[in-house]
Structures are given as structure tokens and as C-alpha cells.
Amino acid sequence: MSRHRGLANKLSVRKDKWRSKKGRKRIAQTLFQRIRKISFWVIIGVICALVIQTPSYLMDSPHFFIDSIVVRVKGGSVTQKELLDRLEKFFLKKYSTMHPNIFRISMKESTNVIASYSRVLRVTIKRQLPKKILIEVEGRTPSMMLRVASKYYGIDKDRVIFPIVYKKGLPLLTGISNIEIGKPIVHQEIEDVFLFYKIINALDRDLSKSIFMINIANPRNIVLMMNEKNPVAVYCGSYLEEKRLVQKLKELKVILEYFKKTDQQREYVDIRFDNIIIK
């Protein structure tokens, strides 16, 4: 009997608590905290499931298989077809298909495939969901060209060598044979030539355009061939950074204009010394 009475008393106390305002509030708070805690762990579980399953879904879904590669080229002589063929061959070798899932491809490796092409200066590759790849390329622009065997190669402002077709108007660099495609050429005479070309171009663009060949076979004497219709060699030496170079070039311009005006054929103009020598 006493046991039943104790249970009845407890139930009575709980009913009193429920009836009281404070009791109801306390019970509601406890219930809310339990629900919130359970909800938190449910949400965490759902998130974990999504994190685990989503990459698998994205990488396997045919909805994200690449069906379009857009290539935009700015400058240089590289073509869209060359770059597209290069990337598709990489996809075929790496992923066994030319249309892999857009999330499976490595953007770093894909960028390196294009960037390693010697005619490319800069490249940016972006995904455009769900199925498109955008490629923006800046091609290398040759400042000079050289010929090895029967092939022509360009040299850009970074001294990088890359294949080109013959381009009229570019000075032909001779006297050099050891080249490595796609890498900067380290040659002091090349540096002297670029310095000279920069100065002469700033001084008179027409004068720089008249240079059709540059010979660097002799490291002590860079030779410019000017005026292709009435050619004359200009001996520049190997100290093209000297302060008197600008004055020498001004004198050279007057001399060449005189040759043209009087229709004179001369063998060379030597500007290496204080007094210019003409033969």
C-alpha cells in the first residue's frame, strides 16, 4: 500500500508542476533542447551523406560529359585547331575518351598541356557547367626569325624559340644553330641585338624596318644587313650599350638616305669606331 501511495504522490507532484506556469516552461525547455540536439545530429548525418555521395554522382553523371570546347586565340600564329587537337589527344590518353566528365579532368594538367606548346605565351582554362570548357590563349609574337635547315623559327621578346612560317618583314637572324624549341635562348649576342633593335626602333621605325638580316656569327662584330633592294652591311661591334650608339645611329640614317638618294652601292658601313668607315 505504501508503495502505491508513494507512486501516487509522485504523479501528483508532476501534475502540480505541469499545472504551474514554471513547471510547464521547464518541461517545454527540456523537450526543446532534446529535439534540437536530435535535429543537429540528423542534419550532420544528412550533410555527411551528401558530402560522400555528391562527388561520386557528379563524376559519374553523363549530364556533365564535355560536349563543347571553345578556344579563343589572341595574337601569334597558333590556331584554334592546333590547340583543340592537342587537348583532345590528352583527354583520349588520360581518360580514354575525348569527352570526359567535366569534374574528372585535371585543370592543372590540361592547362600545362596547352601552355607547354611553344607558340603559346599564356593560357587560361575554365569550366562552364554543365558540359563546356572555355580556353583563352595568347600566342607568341615573333620579333625576329631564324632558319635551321629548311625550317623557320620565331624569337619573341622573351627570347623563346618557336616554329613559324616565313614572315616577310621580320629580320632573319643568322650565325646561330644550337636552339631548343620552346625555351629561352641564352646568348649574349642575342641580348645585344635586342637592345640595338629596341634603340633603333625608338629612334626611327623606318630605319628598323630596313633591317632584313642580322648576323651574329662573330661575337665581336654583330652585322646588320639593311636595304634589301640595295643591301649594305653595317658593322656594329659588340658594345651596343655604349652611350654614343644613338648618335651613331643618327649618322647611319643620314648615310643610308644619301646612298638611296644618289643610288650608290656600298659594301659596308662600319660604326664601331669614332669615325665611321664607309667602303
Side-chain angles (χ1 to χ4, degrees):
M1 287 289 289
S2 60
R3 184 177 177 182
H4 291 298
R5 285 177 184 171
L7 184 59
N9 290 334
K10 286 182 180 180
L11 290 172
S12 178
V13 170
R14 287 185 180 180
K15 286 181 180 180
D16 292 340
K17 285 184 177 180
W18 175 253
R19 290 191 187 99
S20 68
K21 189 175 181 181
K22 284 186 177 181
R24 290 198 304 273
K25 186 176 181 181
R26 191 177 298 112
I27 292 171
Q29 287 177 344
T30 302
L31 184 61
F32 175 74
Q33 288 174 357
R34 289 180 180 178
I35 293 172
R36 187 170 64 174
K37 190 174 183 179
I38 293 170
S39 300
F40 171 78
W41 288 111
V42 169
I43 291 170
I44 291 297
V46 171
I47 291 174
C48 289
L50 289 173
V51 168
I52 294 171
Q53 294 297 325
T54 299
S56 177
Y57 166 75
L58 293 177
M59 290 187 177
D60 293 332
S61 172
H63 184 65
F64 297 105
F65 285 177
I66 296 170
D67 67 358
S68 176
I69 301 177
V70 178
V71 182
R72 299 189 183 102
V73 179
K74 177 184 177 183
S77 58
V78 64
T79 65
Q80 294 176 333
K81 187 178 184 305
E82 286 177 290
L83 300 175
L84 189 59
D85 289 346
R86 197 173 179 86
L87 191 61
E88 286 181 342
K89 286 179 181 178
F90 166 71
F91 284 167
L92 190 60
K93 183 178 179 180
K94 179 80 175 180
Y95 308 106
S96 301
T97 174
M98 290 191 295
H99 305 282
N101 185 288
I102 198 168
F103 290 107
R104 282 192 176 275
I105 65 171
S106 167
M107 299 301 285
K108 183 177 180 180
E109 289 182 354
S110 300
T111 300
N112 289 339
V113 166
I114 301 297
S116 63
Y117 193 37
S118 59
R119 294 182 184 179
V120 172
L121 178 62
R122 274 182 285 269
V123 58
T124 302
I125 300 181
K126 297 178 181 178
R127 295 184 180 97
Q128 188 176 81
L129 299 179
K131 300 181 178 183
K132 185 182 288 187
I133 294 292
L134 300 178
I135 304 175
E136 293 185 357
V137 170
E138 183 179 349
R140 293 189 181 277
T141 302
S143 300
M144 302 175 192
M145 63 181 175
L146 57 88
R147 183 178 178 180
V148 178
S150 59
K151 296 181 179 180
Y152 286 92
Y153 299 89
I155 309 175
D156 73 350
K157 61 181 181 179
D158 298 317
R159 319 306 189 250
V160 174
I161 306 291
F162 54 98
I164 61 170
V165 295
Y166 175 79
K167 191 172 182 179
K168 190 175 181 180
L170 279 182
L172 180 65
L173 192 63
T174 62
I176 186 170
S177 57
N178 296 325
I179 63 172
E180 190 171 357
I181 307 303
K183 293 188 177 181
I185 184 169
V186 181
H187 204 297
Q188 184 55 48
E189 284 68 42
I190 294 286
E191 295 304 314
D192 288 340
V193 166
F194 269 86
L195 175 63
F196 182 87
Y197 207 69
K198 179 181 177 181
I199 294 174
I200 198 172
N201 197 49
L203 183 67
D204 191 316
R205 294 183 69 88
D206 290 334
L207 190 61
S208 67
K209 289 178 181 179
S210 68
I211 301 172
F212 66 91
M213 187 180 297
I214 304 172
N215 187 286
I216 60 173
N218 183 353
R220 295 185 178 181
N221 184 25
I222 293 173
V223 181
L224 307 180
M225 294 301 299
M226 307 184 77
N227 295 336
E228 193 167 5
K229 292 182 179 179
N230 190 13
V232 58
V234 178
Y235 299 160
C236 301
S238 59
Y239 300 99
L240 302 179
E241 71 280 5
E242 63 183 36
K243 295 179 181 179
R244 293 175 296 173
L245 179 58
V246 173
Q247 181 59 38
K248 291 285 185 181
L249 291 174
K250 288 181 179 178
E251 294 175 16
L252 175 64
K253 179 184 177 183
V254 173
I255 291 169
L256 294 176
E257 287 177 349
Y258 179 75
F259 289 166
K260 184 178 180 180
K261 184 177 180 181
T262 58
D263 197 25
Q264 290 191 37
Q265 179 69 48
R266 296 301 183 106
E267 184 179 341
Y268 68 81
V269 177
D270 194 335
I271 65 172
R272 291 176 292 175
F273 310 104
D274 291 337
N275 296 319
I276 293 178
I277 300 172
I278 301 174
K279 182 179 178 181

